[in-house]
Amino acid sequence: VAKAVVVQPINYGQDYSYLSAALDAHPQRLLGVFVADPAAERPEEQLEAVAKSRAKGWVGVRFNPYKWPEGSSMANERGVGMFRKAGELGLVVGFMPFKGLSKHVADIEALIQSSPGTKVIIDHWGFFLQPATGFGERQLDEESWQSLLKLSAYQQVHVKISALFRVAADQYPFPSLSDRLKTLLKTFGSSRLLWGSDFPYATEHSDYSGAVHGLEEWPVWQEMSEADRQNLVHDTAARLYG
C-alpha cells in the first residue's frame, strides 16, 4: 500500500494519540480522518482545533449520527456549524449511517444544502443491508439504497465502495454487488466513487489483498474503462484528499 487514509474509530472517542503516532511514523504514506464531536462545549472551535493540531495529515472529519443525542438532528445548529467549518478548512465530511442511510438522509440533505461547498462521502454504500454486521440473517433496506441514489443529484456527494461484506448477503468476492456498482457508475459516475477496505473488519472475510482485489472478479469490472477503474481505486480519493 503506497498511500492510505485512516479513519479514527468511534471507540477511541477524541483520543487521537494512536492515529497521530501512525501519521507521524509515516508522514508520506498516511493521511487521517477524525470524528466530529457535537457534545463539545464549542464544537466548531473544537473541530478547527483538531484540524490544526497537526501541520499536515488531517484531510477529513467523520459525522457519525450516533454521536448526537438520541432524537437530535445532525442538521441542528451544532451540526450545521461544524459542517460549514469543515468546508472552510478544506476537510471532506464522511457520513457513517450505520443503521441505514434512510434514517439520516433528510439531515444529510439539509447539511449539504446549508454548505454546498463542503465535499461529502457516504460511507459503505449507505448501509443498504441491515443489520450491517456482515454476519447472520440480514435484510435489504431498499429505502436506504434509493436514498443513496437520490443523493447523486448533489455534485459534492461521493460514495465509498467499501465494507463489501457489510452490504452483500453472499460470500467473498461478493459478486451480488456487481450490478449495484454498475448502477452507481451510471448515477454518480466513477469520478465520485472511491474504494475503501473497512480494515481491520474486512479481514474477517478475506485477507487484505482479497479486500483490495475482490471487485476485480465482478462482471462490471470487466466492462469498466481503465479510467473508471483508476478513479475507483485511486484518482477520486487523490482528488478529494490531496
Side-chain angles (χ1 to χ4, degrees), residues 62-107:
R62 172 170 278 177
F63 274 41
N64 189 318
Y66 312 108
K67 297 287 286 183
W68 271 256
E70 188 172 355
S72 180
S73 168
M74 271 195 300
N76 62 11
E77 183 178 358
R78 287 172 170 251
V80 167
M82 289 191 294
F83 190 78
R84 180 184 61 248
K85 178 61 68 176
E88 291 171 357
L89 295 169
L91 298 170
V92 182
V93 173
F95 287 101
M96 184 69 167
F98 188 79
K99 296 179 182 179
L101 178 60
S102 60
K103 298 180 184 300
H104 309 288
V105 69
D107 288 352

mmCIF file of all heavy atoms in Angstrom, residues 62-107:
data_model
loop_
_atom_site.group_PDB
_atom_site.id
_atom_site.type_symbol
_atom_site.label_atom_id
_atom_site.label_comp_id
_atom_site.label_asym_id
_atom_site.label_seq_id
_atom_site.Cartn_x
_atom_site.Cartn_y
_atom_site.Cartn_z
ATOM 1 N N ARG A 62 -15.286 12.737 10.178
ATOM 2 C CA ARG A 62 -16.453 11.853 10.095
ATOM 3 C C ARG A 62 -17.588 12.406 10.942
ATOM 4 O O ARG A 62 -17.392 12.763 12.108
ATOM 5 C CB ARG A 62 -16.087 10.445 10.551
ATOM 6 C CG ARG A 62 -17.290 9.500 10.692
ATOM 7 C CD ARG A 62 -16.859 8.068 10.897
ATOM 8 N NE ARG A 62 -16.532 7.433 9.629
ATOM 9 C CZ ARG A 62 -16.073 6.184 9.518
ATOM 10 N NH1 ARG A 62 -15.875 5.463 10.609
ATOM 11 N NH2 ARG A 62 -15.811 5.665 8.336
ATOM 12 N N PHE A 63 -18.778 12.462 10.348
ATOM 13 C CA PHE A 63 -20.008 12.772 11.073
ATOM 14 C C PHE A 63 -20.715 11.449 11.332
ATOM 15 O O PHE A 63 -21.236 10.820 10.409
ATOM 16 C CB PHE A 63 -20.914 13.688 10.254
ATOM 17 C CG PHE A 63 -20.631 15.161 10.387
ATOM 18 C CD1 PHE A 63 -19.322 15.635 10.415
ATOM 19 C CD2 PHE A 63 -21.667 16.078 10.463
ATOM 20 C CE1 PHE A 63 -19.063 16.992 10.530
ATOM 21 C CE2 PHE A 63 -21.410 17.437 10.574
ATOM 22 C CZ PHE A 63 -20.112 17.906 10.614
ATOM 23 N N ASN A 64 -20.707 11.005 12.581
ATOM 24 C CA ASN A 64 -21.412 9.791 12.974
ATOM 25 C C ASN A 64 -22.706 10.218 13.665
ATOM 26 O O ASN A 64 -22.662 10.824 14.736
ATOM 27 C CB ASN A 64 -20.545 8.954 13.910
ATOM 28 C CG ASN A 64 -21.135 7.584 14.176
ATOM 29 O OD1 ASN A 64 -22.342 7.454 14.388
ATOM 30 N ND2 ASN A 64 -20.293 6.559 14.159
ATOM 31 N N PRO A 65 -23.879 9.928 13.075
ATOM 32 C CA PRO A 65 -25.135 10.419 13.654
ATOM 33 C C PRO A 65 -25.386 9.951 15.072
ATOM 34 O O PRO A 65 -26.140 10.588 15.818
ATOM 35 C CB PRO A 65 -26.201 9.889 12.688
ATOM 36 C CG PRO A 65 -25.546 8.794 11.921
ATOM 37 C CD PRO A 65 -24.092 9.146 11.856
ATOM 38 N N TYR A 66 -24.712 8.855 15.460
ATOM 39 C CA TYR A 66 -24.959 8.307 16.790
ATOM 40 C C TYR A 66 -24.108 8.993 17.857
ATOM 41 O O TYR A 66 -24.186 8.631 19.036
ATOM 42 C CB TYR A 66 -24.762 6.793 16.755
ATOM 43 C CG TYR A 66 -25.519 6.215 15.575
ATOM 44 C CD1 TYR A 66 -24.843 5.730 14.457
ATOM 45 C CD2 TYR A 66 -26.912 6.263 15.536
ATOM 46 C CE1 TYR A 66 -25.539 5.257 13.344
ATOM 47 C CE2 TYR A 66 -27.618 5.802 14.435
ATOM 48 C CZ TYR A 66 -26.926 5.306 13.338
ATOM 49 O OH TYR A 66 -27.624 4.863 12.233
ATOM 50 N N LYS A 67 -23.340 9.996 17.448
ATOM 51 C CA LYS A 67 -22.653 10.870 18.403
ATOM 52 C C LYS A 67 -23.587 11.986 18.875
ATOM 53 O O LYS A 67 -23.310 12.653 19.874
ATOM 54 C CB LYS A 67 -21.402 11.481 17.774
ATOM 55 C CG LYS A 67 -20.331 10.491 17.367
ATOM 56 C CD LYS A 67 -19.589 9.916 18.555
ATOM 57 C CE LYS A 67 -18.623 10.930 19.153
ATOM 58 N NZ LYS A 67 -17.846 10.331 20.267
ATOM 59 N N TRP A 68 -24.661 12.225 18.139
ATOM 60 C CA TRP A 68 -25.660 13.202 18.547
ATOM 61 C C TRP A 68 -26.616 12.550 19.544
ATOM 62 O O TRP A 68 -26.849 11.328 19.471
ATOM 63 C CB TRP A 68 -26.447 13.682 17.338
ATOM 64 C CG TRP A 68 -25.877 14.869 16.619
ATOM 65 C CD1 TRP A 68 -26.328 16.157 16.682
ATOM 66 C CD2 TRP A 68 -24.753 14.888 15.720
ATOM 67 N NE1 TRP A 68 -25.557 16.973 15.883
ATOM 68 C CE2 TRP A 68 -24.588 16.224 15.281
ATOM 69 C CE3 TRP A 68 -23.872 13.919 15.258
ATOM 70 C CZ2 TRP A 68 -23.576 16.605 14.397
ATOM 71 C CZ3 TRP A 68 -22.858 14.287 14.383
ATOM 72 C CH2 TRP A 68 -22.719 15.615 13.959
ATOM 73 N N PRO A 69 -27.183 13.309 20.474
ATOM 74 C CA PRO A 69 -28.155 12.728 21.410
ATOM 75 C C PRO A 69 -29.324 12.094 20.658
ATOM 76 O O PRO A 69 -29.733 12.593 19.601
ATOM 77 C CB PRO A 69 -28.616 13.937 22.248
ATOM 78 C CG PRO A 69 -27.521 14.937 22.110
ATOM 79 C CD PRO A 69 -26.941 14.739 20.742
ATOM 80 N N GLU A 70 -29.841 11.002 21.180
ATOM 81 C CA GLU A 70 -30.958 10.316 20.532
ATOM 82 C C GLU A 70 -32.117 11.278 20.336
ATOM 83 O O GLU A 70 -32.492 12.029 21.241
ATOM 84 C CB GLU A 70 -31.409 9.118 21.371
ATOM 85 C CG GLU A 70 -32.435 8.252 20.677
ATOM 86 C CD GLU A 70 -32.741 6.967 21.432
ATOM 87 O OE1 GLU A 70 -32.079 6.716 22.460
ATOM 88 O OE2 GLU A 70 -33.636 6.234 20.982
ATOM 89 N N GLY A 71 -32.662 11.292 19.134
ATOM 90 C CA GLY A 71 -33.764 12.186 18.811
ATOM 91 C C GLY A 71 -33.329 13.552 18.332
ATOM 92 O O GLY A 71 -34.156 14.373 17.944
ATOM 93 N N SER A 72 -32.011 13.790 18.338
ATOM 94 C CA SER A 72 -31.481 15.077 17.894
ATOM 95 C C SER A 72 -31.046 14.975 16.439
ATOM 96 O O SER A 72 -30.577 13.939 15.978
ATOM 97 C CB SER A 72 -30.291 15.479 18.767
ATOM 98 O OG SER A 72 -29.755 16.716 18.352
ATOM 99 N N SER A 73 -31.207 16.065 15.714
ATOM 100 C CA SER A 73 -30.866 16.087 14.297
ATOM 101 C C SER A 73 -29.399 16.450 14.081
ATOM 102 O O SER A 73 -28.878 17.365 14.733
ATOM 103 C CB SER A 73 -31.752 17.111 13.570
ATOM 104 O OG SER A 73 -31.279 17.357 12.268
ATOM 105 N N MET A 74 -28.747 15.748 13.157
ATOM 106 C CA MET A 74 -27.389 16.142 12.771
ATOM 107 C C MET A 74 -27.377 17.527 12.170
ATOM 108 O O MET A 74 -26.339 18.205 12.149
ATOM 109 C CB MET A 74 -26.813 15.159 11.741
ATOM 110 C CG MET A 74 -26.094 13.988 12.295
ATOM 111 S SD MET A 74 -25.102 13.146 11.025
ATOM 112 C CE MET A 74 -26.361 12.685 9.830
ATOM 113 N N ALA A 75 -28.521 17.959 11.640
ATOM 114 C CA ALA A 75 -28.613 19.271 10.998
ATOM 115 C C ALA A 75 -29.076 20.348 11.977
ATOM 116 O O ALA A 75 -29.639 21.368 11.564
ATOM 117 C CB ALA A 75 -29.548 19.195 9.799
ATOM 118 N N ASN A 76 -28.833 20.105 13.277
ATOM 119 C CA ASN A 76 -29.126 21.164 14.243
ATOM 120 C C ASN A 76 -28.054 22.250 14.145
ATOM 121 O O ASN A 76 -27.155 22.192 13.298
ATOM 122 C CB ASN A 76 -29.253 20.603 15.662
ATOM 123 C CG ASN A 76 -27.968 19.951 16.165
ATOM 124 O OD1 ASN A 76 -26.904 20.068 15.566
ATOM 125 N ND2 ASN A 76 -28.068 19.234 17.284
ATOM 126 N N GLU A 77 -28.143 23.243 15.005
ATOM 127 C CA GLU A 77 -27.223 24.380 14.916
ATOM 128 C C GLU A 77 -25.770 23.936 15.003
ATOM 129 O O GLU A 77 -24.897 24.436 14.271
ATOM 130 C CB GLU A 77 -27.535 25.386 16.026
ATOM 131 C CG GLU A 77 -26.685 26.653 15.975
ATOM 132 C CD GLU A 77 -27.045 27.645 17.057
ATOM 133 O OE1 GLU A 77 -27.990 27.370 17.835
ATOM 134 O OE2 GLU A 77 -26.384 28.700 17.146
ATOM 135 N N ARG A 78 -25.492 22.978 15.873
ATOM 136 C CA ARG A 78 -24.121 22.489 16.032
ATOM 137 C C ARG A 78 -23.653 21.758 14.770
ATOM 138 O O ARG A 78 -22.528 21.939 14.313
ATOM 139 C CB ARG A 78 -24.028 21.555 17.246
ATOM 140 C CG ARG A 78 -24.114 22.308 18.562
ATOM 141 C CD ARG A 78 -24.228 21.397 19.771
ATOM 142 N NE ARG A 78 -24.056 22.206 20.974
ATOM 143 C CZ ARG A 78 -22.989 22.161 21.757
ATOM 144 N NH1 ARG A 78 -22.012 21.308 21.494
ATOM 145 N NH2 ARG A 78 -22.887 22.944 22.804
ATOM 146 N N GLY A 79 -24.524 20.926 14.227
ATOM 147 C CA GLY A 79 -24.158 20.190 13.029
ATOM 148 C C GLY A 79 -23.920 21.098 11.842
ATOM 149 O O GLY A 79 -22.926 20.939 11.100
ATOM 150 N N VAL A 80 -24.803 22.060 11.644
ATOM 151 C CA VAL A 80 -24.652 22.997 10.529
ATOM 152 C C VAL A 80 -23.356 23.788 10.674
ATOM 153 O O VAL A 80 -22.615 23.995 9.701
ATOM 154 C CB VAL A 80 -25.871 23.951 10.457
ATOM 155 C CG1 VAL A 80 -25.589 25.121 9.511
ATOM 156 C CG2 VAL A 80 -27.104 23.193 9.996
ATOM 157 N N GLY A 81 -23.054 24.209 11.902
ATOM 158 C CA GLY A 81 -21.833 24.973 12.126
ATOM 159 C C GLY A 81 -20.583 24.157 11.863
ATOM 160 O O GLY A 81 -19.631 24.629 11.224
ATOM 161 N N MET A 82 -20.550 22.908 12.324
ATOM 162 C CA MET A 82 -19.382 22.049 12.102
ATOM 163 C C MET A 82 -19.235 21.695 10.627
ATOM 164 O O MET A 82 -18.117 21.643 10.097
ATOM 165 C CB MET A 82 -19.494 20.780 12.950
ATOM 166 C CG MET A 82 -19.295 21.009 14.437
ATOM 167 S SD MET A 82 -19.118 19.450 15.357
ATOM 168 C CE MET A 82 -20.753 18.739 15.142
ATOM 169 N N PHE A 83 -20.353 21.456 9.961
ATOM 170 C CA PHE A 83 -20.308 21.110 8.536
ATOM 171 C C PHE A 83 -19.746 22.286 7.727
ATOM 172 O O PHE A 83 -18.909 22.099 6.839
ATOM 173 C CB PHE A 83 -21.716 20.751 8.060
ATOM 174 C CG PHE A 83 -21.771 20.162 6.678
ATOM 175 C CD1 PHE A 83 -21.434 18.846 6.452
ATOM 176 C CD2 PHE A 83 -22.188 20.939 5.600
ATOM 177 C CE1 PHE A 83 -21.496 18.300 5.172
ATOM 178 C CE2 PHE A 83 -22.256 20.406 4.324
ATOM 179 C CZ PHE A 83 -21.912 19.083 4.105
ATOM 180 N N ARG A 84 -20.216 23.473 8.053
ATOM 181 C CA ARG A 84 -19.707 24.669 7.374
ATOM 182 C C ARG A 84 -18.218 24.859 7.656
ATOM 183 O O ARG A 84 -17.427 25.137 6.741
ATOM 184 C CB ARG A 84 -20.487 25.907 7.832
ATOM 185 C CG ARG A 84 -20.012 27.216 7.166
ATOM 186 C CD ARG A 84 -20.743 28.424 7.720
ATOM 187 N NE ARG A 84 -20.515 28.586 9.151
ATOM 188 C CZ ARG A 84 -21.459 28.427 10.085
ATOM 189 N NH1 ARG A 84 -22.687 28.096 9.741
ATOM 190 N NH2 ARG A 84 -21.170 28.595 11.362
ATOM 191 N N LYS A 85 -17.835 24.698 8.900
ATOM 192 C CA LYS A 85 -16.429 24.879 9.278
ATOM 193 C C LYS A 85 -15.540 23.863 8.565
ATOM 194 O O LYS A 85 -14.441 24.198 8.110
ATOM 195 C CB LYS A 85 -16.275 24.745 10.793
ATOM 196 C CG LYS A 85 -14.840 24.869 11.310
ATOM 197 C CD LYS A 85 -14.224 26.224 10.984
ATOM 198 C CE LYS A 85 -14.881 27.350 11.755
ATOM 199 N NZ LYS A 85 -14.184 28.650 11.492
ATOM 200 N N ALA A 86 -16.005 22.620 8.449
ATOM 201 C CA ALA A 86 -15.229 21.606 7.737
ATOM 202 C C ALA A 86 -14.955 22.048 6.312
ATOM 203 O O ALA A 86 -13.826 21.937 5.806
ATOM 204 C CB ALA A 86 -15.968 20.269 7.752
ATOM 205 N N GLY A 87 -15.975 22.575 5.649
ATOM 206 C CA GLY A 87 -15.789 23.052 4.282
ATOM 207 C C GLY A 87 -14.803 24.190 4.202
ATOM 208 O O GLY A 87 -13.961 24.239 3.287
ATOM 209 N N GLU A 88 -14.885 25.117 5.150
ATOM 210 C CA GLU A 88 -13.961 26.254 5.164
ATOM 211 C C GLU A 88 -12.515 25.786 5.336
ATOM 212 O O GLU A 88 -11.590 26.398 4.794
ATOM 213 C CB GLU A 88 -14.333 27.213 6.294
ATOM 214 C CG GLU A 88 -15.658 27.947 6.072
ATOM 215 C CD GLU A 88 -16.104 28.723 7.302
ATOM 216 O OE1 GLU A 88 -15.409 28.644 8.351
ATOM 217 O OE2 GLU A 88 -17.142 29.405 7.225
ATOM 218 N N LEU A 89 -12.335 24.703 6.073
ATOM 219 C CA LEU A 89 -10.993 24.175 6.335
ATOM 220 C C LEU A 89 -10.514 23.207 5.253
ATOM 221 O O LEU A 89 -9.407 22.685 5.337
ATOM 222 C CB LEU A 89 -10.971 23.475 7.698
ATOM 223 C CG LEU A 89 -11.202 24.366 8.922
ATOM 224 C CD1 LEU A 89 -11.416 23.520 10.175
ATOM 225 C CD2 LEU A 89 -10.032 25.318 9.121
ATOM 226 N N GLY A 90 -11.365 22.947 4.264
ATOM 227 C CA GLY A 90 -10.994 22.020 3.201
ATOM 228 C C GLY A 90 -11.053 20.566 3.608
ATOM 229 O O GLY A 90 -10.424 19.710 2.975
ATOM 230 N N LEU A 91 -11.821 20.258 4.645
ATOM 231 C CA LEU A 91 -11.970 18.882 5.117
ATOM 232 C C LEU A 91 -13.154 18.220 4.431
ATOM 233 O O LEU A 91 -14.225 18.819 4.301
ATOM 234 C CB LEU A 91 -12.187 18.848 6.626
ATOM 235 C CG LEU A 91 -11.059 19.404 7.507
ATOM 236 C CD1 LEU A 91 -11.540 19.527 8.948
ATOM 237 C CD2 LEU A 91 -9.823 18.517 7.424
ATOM 238 N N VAL A 92 -12.988 16.990 4.020
ATOM 239 C CA VAL A 92 -14.085 16.196 3.467
ATOM 240 C C VAL A 92 -14.893 15.624 4.628
ATOM 241 O O VAL A 92 -14.315 15.081 5.582
ATOM 242 C CB VAL A 92 -13.544 15.052 2.593
ATOM 243 C CG1 VAL A 92 -14.698 14.260 1.988
ATOM 244 C CG2 VAL A 92 -12.628 15.589 1.503
ATOM 245 N N VAL A 93 -16.213 15.725 4.552
ATOM 246 C CA VAL A 93 -17.077 15.173 5.595
ATOM 247 C C VAL A 93 -17.575 13.799 5.160
ATOM 248 O O VAL A 93 -18.209 13.659 4.108
ATOM 249 C CB VAL A 93 -18.274 16.090 5.891
ATOM 250 C CG1 VAL A 93 -19.253 15.402 6.866
ATOM 251 C CG2 VAL A 93 -17.794 17.414 6.477
ATOM 252 N N GLY A 94 -17.270 12.779 5.964
ATOM 253 C CA GLY A 94 -17.760 11.435 5.708
ATOM 254 C C GLY A 94 -18.904 11.107 6.647
ATOM 255 O O GLY A 94 -18.786 11.300 7.861
ATOM 256 N N PHE A 95 -20.012 10.631 6.101
ATOM 257 C CA PHE A 95 -21.174 10.263 6.917
ATOM 258 C C PHE A 95 -21.204 8.754 7.135
ATOM 259 O O PHE A 95 -21.041 7.981 6.200
ATOM 260 C CB PHE A 95 -22.472 10.715 6.255
ATOM 261 C CG PHE A 95 -22.700 12.196 6.316
ATOM 262 C CD1 PHE A 95 -22.441 13.003 5.218
ATOM 263 C CD2 PHE A 95 -23.161 12.791 7.486
ATOM 264 C CE1 PHE A 95 -22.644 14.371 5.273
ATOM 265 C CE2 PHE A 95 -23.369 14.159 7.557
ATOM 266 C CZ PHE A 95 -23.103 14.955 6.444
ATOM 267 N N MET A 96 -21.453 8.354 8.374
ATOM 268 C CA MET A 96 -21.401 6.946 8.783
ATOM 269 C C MET A 96 -22.780 6.510 9.281
ATOM 270 O O MET A 96 -22.999 6.339 10.493
ATOM 271 C CB MET A 96 -20.348 6.799 9.883
ATOM 272 C CG MET A 96 -20.095 5.388 10.354
ATOM 273 S SD MET A 96 -19.298 4.406 9.088
ATOM 274 C CE MET A 96 -18.782 2.987 10.057
ATOM 275 N N PRO A 97 -23.754 6.298 8.377
ATOM 276 C CA PRO A 97 -25.121 5.965 8.794
ATOM 277 C C PRO A 97 -25.294 4.467 9.027
ATOM 278 O O PRO A 97 -25.969 3.758 8.262
ATOM 279 C CB PRO A 97 -25.951 6.461 7.614
ATOM 280 C CG PRO A 97 -25.052 6.243 6.427
ATOM 281 C CD PRO A 97 -23.642 6.469 6.928
ATOM 282 N N PHE A 98 -24.715 3.940 10.086
ATOM 283 C CA PHE A 98 -24.570 2.503 10.306
ATOM 284 C C PHE A 98 -25.908 1.764 10.297
ATOM 285 O O PHE A 98 -25.979 0.602 9.897
ATOM 286 C CB PHE A 98 -23.835 2.260 11.631
ATOM 287 C CG PHE A 98 -23.454 0.828 11.862
ATOM 288 C CD1 PHE A 98 -22.344 0.278 11.235
ATOM 289 C CD2 PHE A 98 -24.201 0.020 12.705
ATOM 290 C CE1 PHE A 98 -21.985 -1.049 11.445
ATOM 291 C CE2 PHE A 98 -23.851 -1.308 12.926
ATOM 292 C CZ PHE A 98 -22.742 -1.840 12.287
ATOM 293 N N LYS A 99 -26.972 2.413 10.732
ATOM 294 C CA LYS A 99 -28.275 1.743 10.804
ATOM 295 C C LYS A 99 -29.123 1.983 9.564
ATOM 296 O O LYS A 99 -30.315 1.662 9.556
ATOM 297 C CB LYS A 99 -29.022 2.186 12.065
ATOM 298 C CG LYS A 99 -28.310 1.779 13.344
ATOM 299 C CD LYS A 99 -29.054 2.236 14.587
ATOM 300 C CE LYS A 99 -28.297 1.859 15.860
ATOM 301 N NZ LYS A 99 -29.002 2.323 17.081
ATOM 302 N N GLY A 100 -28.502 2.512 8.509
ATOM 303 C CA GLY A 100 -29.202 2.729 7.250
ATOM 304 C C GLY A 100 -29.287 4.190 6.895
ATOM 305 O O GLY A 100 -29.681 5.029 7.725
ATOM 306 N N LEU A 101 -28.908 4.509 5.663
ATOM 307 C CA LEU A 101 -28.892 5.901 5.204
ATOM 308 C C LEU A 101 -30.276 6.539 5.273
ATOM 309 O O LEU A 101 -30.399 7.745 5.547
ATOM 310 C CB LEU A 101 -28.361 5.945 3.768
ATOM 311 C CG LEU A 101 -28.318 7.309 3.083
ATOM 312 C CD1 LEU A 101 -27.428 8.287 3.847
ATOM 313 C CD2 LEU A 101 -27.831 7.167 1.638
ATOM 314 N N SER A 102 -31.321 5.758 5.047
ATOM 315 C CA SER A 102 -32.670 6.337 5.003
ATOM 316 C C SER A 102 -33.050 7.027 6.312
ATOM 317 O O SER A 102 -33.844 7.968 6.312
ATOM 318 C CB SER A 102 -33.703 5.260 4.674
ATOM 319 O OG SER A 102 -33.709 4.236 5.647
ATOM 320 N N LYS A 103 -32.465 6.582 7.421
ATOM 321 C CA LYS A 103 -32.778 7.179 8.722
ATOM 322 C C LYS A 103 -32.174 8.572 8.875
ATOM 323 O O LYS A 103 -32.585 9.330 9.766
ATOM 324 C CB LYS A 103 -32.272 6.284 9.862
ATOM 325 C CG LYS A 103 -32.915 4.904 9.911
ATOM 326 C CD LYS A 103 -32.360 4.090 11.067
ATOM 327 C CE LYS A 103 -32.904 2.671 11.077
ATOM 328 N NZ LYS A 103 -34.372 2.616 11.206
ATOM 329 N N HIS A 104 -31.209 8.904 8.037
ATOM 330 C CA HIS A 104 -30.462 10.148 8.231
ATOM 331 C C HIS A 104 -30.376 11.009 6.971
ATOM 332 O O HIS A 104 -29.768 12.079 7.006
ATOM 333 C CB HIS A 104 -29.042 9.819 8.708
ATOM 334 C CG HIS A 104 -29.006 8.897 9.883
ATOM 335 N ND1 HIS A 104 -29.376 9.292 11.150
ATOM 336 C CD2 HIS A 104 -28.690 7.582 9.980
ATOM 337 C CE1 HIS A 104 -29.278 8.272 11.977
ATOM 338 N NE2 HIS A 104 -28.863 7.223 11.299
ATOM 339 N N VAL A 105 -30.981 10.557 5.870
ATOM 340 C CA VAL A 105 -30.796 11.264 4.604
ATOM 341 C C VAL A 105 -31.378 12.674 4.647
ATOM 342 O O VAL A 105 -30.830 13.598 4.021
ATOM 343 C CB VAL A 105 -31.376 10.446 3.427
ATOM 344 C CG1 VAL A 105 -32.900 10.373 3.490
ATOM 345 C CG2 VAL A 105 -30.902 11.007 2.095
ATOM 346 N N ALA A 106 -32.459 12.886 5.392
ATOM 347 C CA ALA A 106 -33.036 14.231 5.481
ATOM 348 C C ALA A 106 -32.053 15.196 6.140
ATOM 349 O O ALA A 106 -31.879 16.339 5.679
ATOM 350 C CB ALA A 106 -34.353 14.199 6.254
ATOM 351 N N ASP A 107 -31.399 14.746 7.215
ATOM 352 C CA ASP A 107 -30.386 15.579 7.874
ATOM 353 C C ASP A 107 -29.211 15.852 6.939
ATOM 354 O O ASP A 107 -28.695 16.974 6.880
ATOM 355 C CB ASP A 107 -29.865 14.885 9.133
ATOM 356 C CG ASP A 107 -30.876 14.869 10.265
ATOM 357 O OD1 ASP A 107 -31.930 15.528 10.146
ATOM 358 O OD2 ASP A 107 -30.615 14.183 11.269
#
